[in-house]
Amino acid sequence: MSTNTPPAPGRPSPRPTPRLSPAFHRFWAGSLSSNLADGIMLTALPMLAAALTNDPLAVAGLTAARYLPWLLFGLLAGALVDRVDRVRAMVAANLLRAAAITALAILTATGNATVTTLYIVMFAAMTCEIVYDIAGRAILPALARTALDRANGRLVGGREVAQEFAGAPLGGFLFAIAAALPLATNAGAYALGALILLGLPLTARRAPAPPTDQPATPPANPVRAVLHDIGQGLRHIHTDPPLRALILFGATLNLGAAAVTAVFVLTVQDHYGVPPHLFGVFLATAALGAIGGALLAGNTAHRIGRYRGITAGYLAQAAFCTLFALAPNAPTAAAAWTLVAAASAYGTVLSSGILQQIVPEHLMGRVSSAKQMLGFGLAPAGALLGGLLARADLRAPALFGAAVFTAATLLALRHLRTATARADANEQAARADPAH
């Protein structure tokens, strides 16, 4: 990585953003198909859970099952991704998810699905998601090193279109016809995403060799070698305080977000009176905000600076989350949730770009997995806390989330400033390098 003196935080990039490559667009197309499948699954499974039980804690357990795999397997997946063909890992993950959802569709169609079954399938699908997500994050710098904010903006915006604007309402409408129908569609979208990704170039498939000044070769014993790789990633995080703070910041945000989303289906349907067949439409309105936030971040980061943008984004998310909790009716709540999604997407794009710029590429899988493991590992606790708070008042989880977003942002300001300055310097050095 570059050792240039970092510019002042917020200083605009002096060069225009380069065009994104055809390889990136293929990667993006595969991601869109997978995102569509995610949107259907993450709408249909909570609706199926709500049809099987009205206990907020039992419904929140589905969110806990969604994030628990990160806590159990996150670090292992990061070491795996830095060792294997990353494209094949993503393809295999999608095919396994398709198989798990197909099995659930059969159980649902035959009337044998239970809440426990939903937990098991969610856990299996999200275990595959770990490998898919980490491999995708690790591949991206090879596809768009000099335009990461723009690439992340496309990915987040596309995810919102496919997952929330298309997948969520489609899942709701199909569920109204037959509970198994969205699950079958979901499995097909995962399989399609796997096929599209097979065409990615060989240069993006494996992690580059580490620098020649790296420590001795890892042990030949496979178990010790994996533990060595994991330890190398954790040591890198430990010795880089701004990076460590960025990871802890993201984990705290995830804790608050999980509390809000764990019982979101009950808040929308029971508190605001939105009928089940319109639940996906309610989510789709938020996708419009997320698309706008993601594209705005990708196109304007060089103008206002990552530091100002990420700070404003997450503080705004807290304010709009409070507005959502206190909204007097469903239309106002939908508008507030749209703004929450816009602010969250804006901050997510910028924070992703920072990490991808300051982490060496050969460590990207392991560092990303540690970040995701800690963030999503705390999510089950946030989900269960949200379920407990919702037993008292369905608005309480959103107020709790707003408090967490505010506190986390204010506590992380100093390290966010340092990390964004380093990211800006590294991006400018990459643009000046003829190899990019």
Side-chain angles (χ1 to χ4, degrees), residues 65-120:
R66 174 182 176 183
Y67 292 118
L68 185 59
W70 283 99
L71 184 61
L72 299 178
F73 309 123
L75 293 178
L76 180 62
L80 174 70
V81 162
D82 282 341
R83 281 176 164 264
V84 303
D85 183 313
R86 290 167 172 171
V87 173
R88 288 184 179 177
M90 296 173 74
V91 169
N94 260 15
L95 293 178
L96 289 173
R97 284 195 284 186
I101 297 299
T102 299
L104 178 61
I106 294 171
L107 291 174
T108 301
T110 57
N112 293 314
T114 65
V115 173
T116 301
T117 304
L118 298 186
Y119 292 166
I120 294 171

Side-chain angles (χ1 to χ4, degrees), residues 253-281:
L253 293 175
N254 272 13
L255 176 71
V260 180
T261 59
V263 293
F264 185 73
V265 62
L266 297 180
T267 305
V268 172
Q269 292 185 6
D270 295 351
H271 180 73
Y272 289 116
V274 175
H277 68 280
L278 293 180
F279 175 64
V281 177

Side-chain angles (χ1 to χ4, degrees), residues 64-65 67-77 123 127 130 230 369 372-374 376-378 380:
Y67 292 118
L68 185 59
W70 283 99
L71 184 61
L72 299 178
F73 309 123
L75 293 178
L76 180 62
F123 183 88
T127 298
I130 296 173
I230 291 172
S369 70
Q372 298 294 83
M373 185 209 72
L374 183 59
F376 290 141
L378 289 177

